[in-house]
């Protein structure tokens, strides 16, 4: 209870009253004799008496009811018993008017020695009564359409809003059914819902549908409708009331969001510029337009060149060259188009301002009129198509992404009678913006893919030759644009002694980085092979190279900081010797080769499996096998055998079966195997290297054991000279004699037994001297006064090339001479 004011307190303004706050009730304290002992501000506001006027006086004059001593005595007795009392009484305001209040009397209590009672009161407010005219005005003028239907679903009453929604006068509705008044407005469905309400008594709320009305017959509207039963006093359903709200704006927003979301799943599914442009056209027809064309800058469609016509920072100085990249129509074959896909176009919507492409602002022409002067400069065939096919409304939106102009998308309507409105620009811009980003991504990726393919092809061998040892053929296919160019490579490397090195490898990753890494590894393999390293040692050195490349810092352009990128690769290196028919190979995480013998037997010999390149710390081992003449050896990358199911073993079996089939030549067999094994889309690069073995028989190879005696040099030199002349290489006899003399003399003087001389002829004439020492020979440049040291120097001057290779028994020093074409016997190439 608020503090009691004494009689000298001045009146104060009353604070706002809260109908749920009892602290603002009028309150007073009465003695047992009815004298007012305390008076609150709330009592002052209720009855208009100040505390100074009422405290100490009798409360009887405040009661505006006939005296009822018995009732008062009963209330007092009840309160003295500790229960309290409440009820409705009438009191008199200071101004004389009567006020009905809810009075509450507390249980009796004492102040000092006097018995007291606390009284609190609140004015009884009458309930607001709605006048019939007010209710009628509310129902009639409500922004929600309302109607009452009888049990036969005929109109009994409707308000002005519903009459305005439908565009049908009230007089033509009353007594008729909805399906009779608006036959195209899903009348049967809506009446079915109303019948369900009549039968079950269960309301149906917020049923949405799209329809039309006579008030706006050319534009679809969305409505939200609720139906509920009308029940009389006996709980009998007498009819149905339905309420209609026009939610077209909400529906349009929802439709826009749904279309934009659907467009995200339909546009840009591939990294192909023209397919993305066509996807935009196909998506917009007929959802948004009846005819759509997408024209892109010629530089955007090109895989080379600067890439764009202009950007927002560079003003347009010349008219852009556009090409039709995609189009779609509700009419089969797009007869409205005056240009086909791939044709150059120059259409910029009136007024033909090129700045629209730079600013990105769309052009809306709600009504197309070919006779309008704005179309005066357009070609006659375009105007004729507008008239013939009834093109009546247009929106053109520039395609821009990442501040770069890409092209122009134009939407037209002909079958749909509704013209484009300003609200439609929002959807058109959103669709074009999504497509433009996908086009730009495809453009950038296509250029990078093309650059990577070009780089990779430039690094792969352009011509392969296996000399007299092997007949070779190769097949290579880069991955498609979605997979990205990989780092597959292969090579055929001529070695000394008519031997040939075969290599195939696969760098981890895709793109230009993988292609560049492939080029570095291929160069390294050629260098290491030229150093006559056996396969296991070659892979060990290659592994060290990959580790060093992985440690090289690279620049992260996005973060503008240095980082290291792991580089890994697999590789298989094999060396075939046509004299011994032995093939030595080692592999680093690569699939095994396939071998098809002349009788058609297919096998996959597995040399010791080494780890992929780039792991380090694990040794590589070589394996050796003998190949019959005419055997087919195949080296490949995993992309060839993965297939759609990813089962490598079944892919290897398919490859073996294809290579076992007879073929007219090796090239045909190679291309057929690639064609049959590679599935589309091709997710990875593939490489296939085929080699058919040949043998150098006794007519091509001769050898002699050489005693470790200087006197034996003359005899060996004479034998070599006679053999060279017997082969028909008389012009090479003198140089051969000098080379044999120097190499054999050096072996006898500086090396250990056994010493052996071998002559080979294939595309070149080769002289080899083997000894039991692993000491490396050293080429010196002697002075004119030196008496010795000219042996290897002389050999280097006479031979086409020379070198040394090491064997388990020692080393072999070899020297090759070119065979003039005039001296080459039939079937022998000059290399």
């Amino acid at each position: 209870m608020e503090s009691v004011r004494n009689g000298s307190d001045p009146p104060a303004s009353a604070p706002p009253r809260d109908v749920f706050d009892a602290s603002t009730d009028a309150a007073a304290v009465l003695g047992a004799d009815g004298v007012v002992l305390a008076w609150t501000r709330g009592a002052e506001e209720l009855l208009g008496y100040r505390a100074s006027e009422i405290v100490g006086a009798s409360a009887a004059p405040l009661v505006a009811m006939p005296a009822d001593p018995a009732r008062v005595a009963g209330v007092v007795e009840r309160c003295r018993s500790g229960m309290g009392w409440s009820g409705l009484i009438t009191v008199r305001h200071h101004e004389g008017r009567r006020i009905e209040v809810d009075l509450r009397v507390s249980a009796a209590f004492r102040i000092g020695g006097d018995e007291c009672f606390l009284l609190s009161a609140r004015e009884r407010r009458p309930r607001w009564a709605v006048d019939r005219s007010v209710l009628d005005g509310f129902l009639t003028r409500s922004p929600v359409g309302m109607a009452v239907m009888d049990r036969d679903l005929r109109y009994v009453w409707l308000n002005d809003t519903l009459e305005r929604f439908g565009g049908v006068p009230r007089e033509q509705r009353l007594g008729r059914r909805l399906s009779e008044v608006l036959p195209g407005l899903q009348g049967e469905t809506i009446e079915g819902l109303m019948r369900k309400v009549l039968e079950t008594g269960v309301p149906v709320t917020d049923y949405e549908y799209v329809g039309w009305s006579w008030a706006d017959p050319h534009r679809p509207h969305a409505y939200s409708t609720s139906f509920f039963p009308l029940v009389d006093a006996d709980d009998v359903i007498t009819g149905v009331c339905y309420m209609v709200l026009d939610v077209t704006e909400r529906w349009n927003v929802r439709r826009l969001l749904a279309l934009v979301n659907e467009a995200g799943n339909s546009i840009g599914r591939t990294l192909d510029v023209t397919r993305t442009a066509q996807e935009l056209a196909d998506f917009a027809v007929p959802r948004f337009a009846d005819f759509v064309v997408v024209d892109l800058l010629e530089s955007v469609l090109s895989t080379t060149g600067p890439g764009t016509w202009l950007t927002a920072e560079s003003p347009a100085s010349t008219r852009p060259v556009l090409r039709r990249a995609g189009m779609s129509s509700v009419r089969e074959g797009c007869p409205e188009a005056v240009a086909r896909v791939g044709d150059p176009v120059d259409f910029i919507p009136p007024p033909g301002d090129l700045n629209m492409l730079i600013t990105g602002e769309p052009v809306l022409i709600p009504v197309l009129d070919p006779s309008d002067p704005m179309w005066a400069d357009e070609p006659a065939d375009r105007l004729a198509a507008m008239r013939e096919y009834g093109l009546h409304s247009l929106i053109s939106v520039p395609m821009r992404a990442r501040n770069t102009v890409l092209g122009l998308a134009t939407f037209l309507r002909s079958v749909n009678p509704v013209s484009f409105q300003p609200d439609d620009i929002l959807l058109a811009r959103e669709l074009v913006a999504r497509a433009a980003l996908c086009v730009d991504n495809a453009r950038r990726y296509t250029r990078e893919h093309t650059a990577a393919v070009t780089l990779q092809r430039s690094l792969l061998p352009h011509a392969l030759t296996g000399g007299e040892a092997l007949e070779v053929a190769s097949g290579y296919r880069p991955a498609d644009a979605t997979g990205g160019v990989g780092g597959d490579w292969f090579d055929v490397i001529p070695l000394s002694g008519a031997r040939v090195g075969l290599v195939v490898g696969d760098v981890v990753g895709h793109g230009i980085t993988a292609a560049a890494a492939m080029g570095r590894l291929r160069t390294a393999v050629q260098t290491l092979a030229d150093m006559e390293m056996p396969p296991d040692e070659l892979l060990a050195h290659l592994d060290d190279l990959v580790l060093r490349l992985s440690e090289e810092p690279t620049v992260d352009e996005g973060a503008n900081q240095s980082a290291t990128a792991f580089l890994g690769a697999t590789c298989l290196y094999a060396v075939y010797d046509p004299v011994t028919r032995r093939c030595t190979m080692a592999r680093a995480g690569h699939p095994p080769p396939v071998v098809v013998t002349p009788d058609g037997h297919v096998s996959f010999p597995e040399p010791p499996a080494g780890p992929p390149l780039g792991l380090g710390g694990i040794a590589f081992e070589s394996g050796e096998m003998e190949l019959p003449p005419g055997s087919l050896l195949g080296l490949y990358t995993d992309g060839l055998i993965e297939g759609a199911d990813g089962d490598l073993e079944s892919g290897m079996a398919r490859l073996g079966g294809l290579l076992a089939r007879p073929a007219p030549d090796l090239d045909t067999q190679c291309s057929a195997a690639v064609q049959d094994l590679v599935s589309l889309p091709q997710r990875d690069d593939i490489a296939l290297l085929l080699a058919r073995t040949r043998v150098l028989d006794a007519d091509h190879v001769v050898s002699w054991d050489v005693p470790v005696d200087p006197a034996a040099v003359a005899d060996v030199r004479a034998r070599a000279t006679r053999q060279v002349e017997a082969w028909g290489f008389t012009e090479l006899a003198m140089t051969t004699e000098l080379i044999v003399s120097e190499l054999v003399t050096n072996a006898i003087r500086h090396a250990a037994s056994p010493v052996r001389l071998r002559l080979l002829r294939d595309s070149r004439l080769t002289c080899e001297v083997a000894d039991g020492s692993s000491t490396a020979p050293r080429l010196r440049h002697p002075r004119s006064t030196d008496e010795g040291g000219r042996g290897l120097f002389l050999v280097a001057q006479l031979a086409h090339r020379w070198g040394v290779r090491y064997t388990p028994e020692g080393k072999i020093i070899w020297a090759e001479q070119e065979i003039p074409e005039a001296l080459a016997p039939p079937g022998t190439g000059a290399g």
Side-chain angles (χ1 to χ4, degrees):
M1 176 177 174
E2 62 184 18
S3 62
V4 178
R5 297 175 55 200
N6 60 37
S8 63
D9 291 336
S13 59
R17 299 186 63 182
D18 186 346
V19 296
F20 299 105
D21 187 2
S23 65
T24 60
D25 288 357
V29 178
L30 299 184
D33 56 357
V35 175
V36 178
L37 302 178
W39 192 256
T40 66
R41 185 180 293 115
E44 185 178 309
E45 292 177 358
L46 178 64
L47 297 180
Y49 290 95
R50 293 184 297 176
S52 58
E53 297 174 331
I54 198 66
V55 173
S58 173
L62 300 178
V63 180
M65 297 173 62
D68 190 348
R71 184 183 183 193
V72 173
V75 171
V76 172
E77 185 64 27
R78 178 180 176 86
C79 293
R80 284 174 175 167
S81 66
M83 298 180 64
W85 177 89
S86 63
L88 181 66
I89 68 171
T90 304
V91 295
R92 184 178 286 109
H93 192 269
H94 186 271
E95 297 175 352
R97 68 177 185 272
R98 294 170 176 265
I99 301 174
E100 283 191 340
V101 297
D102 289 312
L103 181 66
R104 295 180 296 278
V105 183
S106 71
F109 61 94
R110 292 186 177 275
I111 299 179
D114 298 330
E115 184 181 36
C116 303
F117 301 90
L118 174 63
L119 283 71
S120 63
R122 176 178 294 189
E123 183 178 3
R124 170 68 65 89
R125 297 288 185 181
R127 292 187 177 180
W128 180 69
V130 181
D131 185 78
R132 176 62 183 268
S133 61
V134 175
L135 183 60
D136 289 344
F138 165 73
L139 294 175
T140 302
R141 297 177 180 84
S142 170
V144 179
M146 302 180 186
V148 175
M149 320 292 284
D150 61 19
R151 292 191 62 85
D152 293 329
L153 302 182
R154 299 185 182 278
Y155 282 99
V156 176
W157 174 89
L158 68 154
N159 67 354
D160 295 347
T161 304
L162 186 63
E163 183 180 16
R164 186 173 63 255
F165 281 172
V168 179
R170 180 181 282 103
E171 297 77 17
Q172 297 181 20
R173 288 206 186 203
L174 297 177
R176 303 177 66 186
R177 297 168 63 157
L178 176 67
S179 57
E180 297 172 349
V181 177
L182 296 169
L185 195 67
Q186 299 188 18
E188 293 184 0
T189 302
I190 296 174
E191 288 179 354
L193 293 174
M194 288 191 285
R195 289 192 188 92
K196 183 178 180 181
V197 172
L198 286 174
E199 294 170 359
T200 64
V202 178
V204 175
T205 59
D206 201 23
Y207 171 74
E208 288 191 5
Y209 62 93
V210 178
W212 63 276
S213 71
W214 290 110
D216 191 6
H218 298 298
R219 184 181 302 278
H221 283 255
Y223 302 99
S224 175
T225 308
S226 297
F227 311 91
F228 55 91
L230 295 177
V231 183
D232 61 13
D234 298 326
D235 288 337
V236 176
I237 298 177
T238 61
V240 176
C241 177
Y242 78 82
M243 306 173 69
V244 183
L245 185 65
D246 191 327
V247 293
T248 303
E249 184 175 348
R250 183 178 74 187
W251 178 79
N252 283 335
V253 172
R254 202 159 58 212
R255 172 175 168 266
L256 171 62
L257 293 176
L259 277 177
V260 169
N261 182 64
E262 187 180 353
N265 298 325
S266 302
I267 301 174
R269 292 175 294 182
T270 65
L271 287 170
D272 184 88
V273 172
T274 55
R275 289 185 65 180
T276 301
Q278 186 61 46
E279 286 171 352
L280 170 61
D282 291 339
F283 179 82
V285 175
R287 293 178 179 88
F288 181 65
D290 300 322
F291 178 48
V292 176
V293 294
V294 181
D295 302 326
L296 298 179
L297 293 172
E298 193 168 47
S299 56
V300 174
L301 294 169
S302 173
T303 57
T304 59
T308 58
W309 161 62
L310 49 83
T311 63
E313 286 76 18
S314 58
S317 58
T318 59
R319 193 172 184 86
V321 179
L322 295 166
R323 283 193 180 273
R324 182 66 43 85
M327 63 181 180
S328 183
S329 171
V330 293
R331 300 177 176 89
E332 185 176 356
C334 300
E336 307 97 323
V338 297
R340 315 312 294 179
V341 172
D343 292 345
V345 292
D346 60 354
F347 175 70
I348 302 293
D353 187 2
L354 294 179
N355 285 326
M356 70 166 292
L357 296 177
I358 303 175
T359 62
E361 289 301 317
V363 171
L364 167 64
I365 305 179
V367 179
L368 291 181
D369 183 4
S371 61
D372 192 294
M374 73 166 61
W375 297 96
D377 296 333
E378 294 297 323
D381 55 350
R382 183 170 293 141
L383 300 179
M386 292 170 57
R387 294 188 179 94
E388 180 179 357
Y389 297 103
L391 304 176
H392 64 81
S393 190
L394 172 147
I395 293 179
S396 281
V397 183
M399 298 187 71
R400 301 175 75 253
R402 300 182 179 95
N403 208 31
T404 301
V405 178
L406 302 174
L408 182 69
T410 303
F411 307 86
L412 299 106
R413 283 182 177 171
S414 57
V415 177
N416 186 343
V418 181
S419 298
F420 286 119
Q421 300 299 317
D423 291 344
D424 294 320
I425 294 179
L426 180 62
L427 176 58
R429 294 186 75 160
E430 187 64 28
L431 293 178
V432 173
R434 286 178 174 266
L437 186 61
C438 295
V439 166
D440 192 51
N441 288 341
R443 175 183 69 92
R444 291 167 179 261
Y445 183 84
T446 299
R447 289 207 171 119
E448 181 180 348
H449 181 76
T450 302
V453 170
T454 303
L455 174 62
Q456 188 178 42
R457 290 192 181 278
S458 68
L459 296 174
L460 290 174
H462 300 285
L464 299 176
T465 176
E468 295 297 310
L470 297 170
E471 177 191 359
V472 294
S474 64
Y476 168 78
R477 284 190 185 180
D480 58 22
T482 58
V485 174
D488 291 12
W489 93 92
F490 58 91
D491 209 348
V492 178
I493 306 171
L495 302 175
S496 63
R499 298 169 308 126
V500 177
L502 302 172
V503 62
V504 64
D506 185 0
V507 174
V508 174
H510 294 83
I512 292 180
T513 302
M518 174 271 289
R520 299 176 76 171
L521 293 184
R522 176 173 176 254
T523 302
V525 170
Q526 289 178 333
T527 302
L528 295 172
D530 195 53
M531 294 172 65
E532 300 288 357
M533 287 189 177
D536 53 346
E537 292 185 22
L538 184 144
L539 291 184
H541 283 78
L542 199 63
D543 184 50
D544 292 338
L545 173 63
V546 173
L547 285 173
R548 290 196 299 274
L549 293 178
S550 299
E551 294 172 356
E552 289 182 356
T554 60
V555 177
D556 185 350
E557 296 181 357
N560 195 24
Q561 60 185 1
S562 296
T564 57
F566 173 76
L567 174 66
T570 65
C571 182
L572 188 151
Y573 179 64
V575 175
Y576 175 69
D577 188 338
V579 178
T580 64
R581 299 184 302 174
R582 308 292 296 180
C583 182
T584 306
M585 62 184 71
R587 58 186 178 129
H590 205 80
V594 56
V595 174
V596 182
T597 58
D599 59 2
H601 176 70
V602 178
S603 63
F604 290 88
E606 295 196 14
L613 301 175
L615 297 182
I618 304 177
F620 297 91
E621 297 182 31
S622 294
E624 189 175 78
M625 62 182 300
E626 183 175 338
L627 297 177
S631 296
L632 182 62
L633 177 65
L635 281 63
Y636 52 89
T637 54
D638 56 3
L640 183 67
I641 59 174
E642 280 182 339
D645 55 2
D647 188 347
L648 296 182
E649 291 188 1
S650 63
M652 293 168 61
R654 290 194 297 269
L655 172 62
L658 291 171
L659 296 183
R661 296 177 182 175
D665 54 68
L666 204 58
D667 288 327
T668 302
Q669 194 167 22
C670 184
S671 60
V674 171
Q675 181 69 30
D676 290 346
L677 287 173
V678 176
S679 60
L680 297 176
Q682 185 182 331
R683 297 172 296 178
D684 194 7
D685 286 17
I686 65 98
L688 174 62
L689 179 62
L690 296 183
R692 193 175 299 281
T693 61
R694 296 169 179 164
V695 176
L696 291 183
D697 53 22
D699 293 337
H700 293 76
V701 182
V702 293
S703 62
W704 301 275
D705 292 326
V706 181
V708 184
D709 182 358
V713 174
D715 178 61
V716 173
R717 183 172 57 220
R719 292 185 182 184
T721 302
R722 289 193 297 271
Q723 183 61 53
V724 169
E725 291 175 346
W727 281 339
F729 305 148
T730 305
E731 293 183 9
L732 301 179
M734 182 177 294
T735 56
T736 302
E737 182 179 1
L738 291 174
I739 291 173
V740 169
S741 178
E742 294 297 335
L743 293 181
V744 172
T745 300
N746 283 343
I748 293 174
R749 287 181 178 178
H750 306 292
S753 61
V755 177
R756 188 172 183 80
L757 170 66
R758 187 172 74 165
L759 295 180
L760 301 93
R761 68 174 179 91
D762 55 348
S763 58
R764 291 185 176 92
L765 178 61
T766 304
C767 174
E768 297 180 346
V769 175
D771 59 55
S773 172
S774 58
T775 304
R778 184 165 61 93
L779 177 64
R780 295 188 299 171
H781 297 271
R783 293 171 296 182
S784 58
T785 58
D786 291 342
E787 296 182 0
R790 294 180 174 82
L792 285 181
F793 179 78
L794 181 61
V795 170
Q797 297 301 311
L798 295 175
H800 171 68
R801 64 174 188 152
W802 74 281
V804 58
R805 68 178 184 268
Y806 295 90
T807 67
E809 296 79 19
K811 68 176 181 294
I812 297 175
I813 302 178
W814 54 269
E816 292 180 353
Q817 300 178 72
E818 292 279 7
I819 299 177
E821 293 187 10
L823 299 180
T828 302

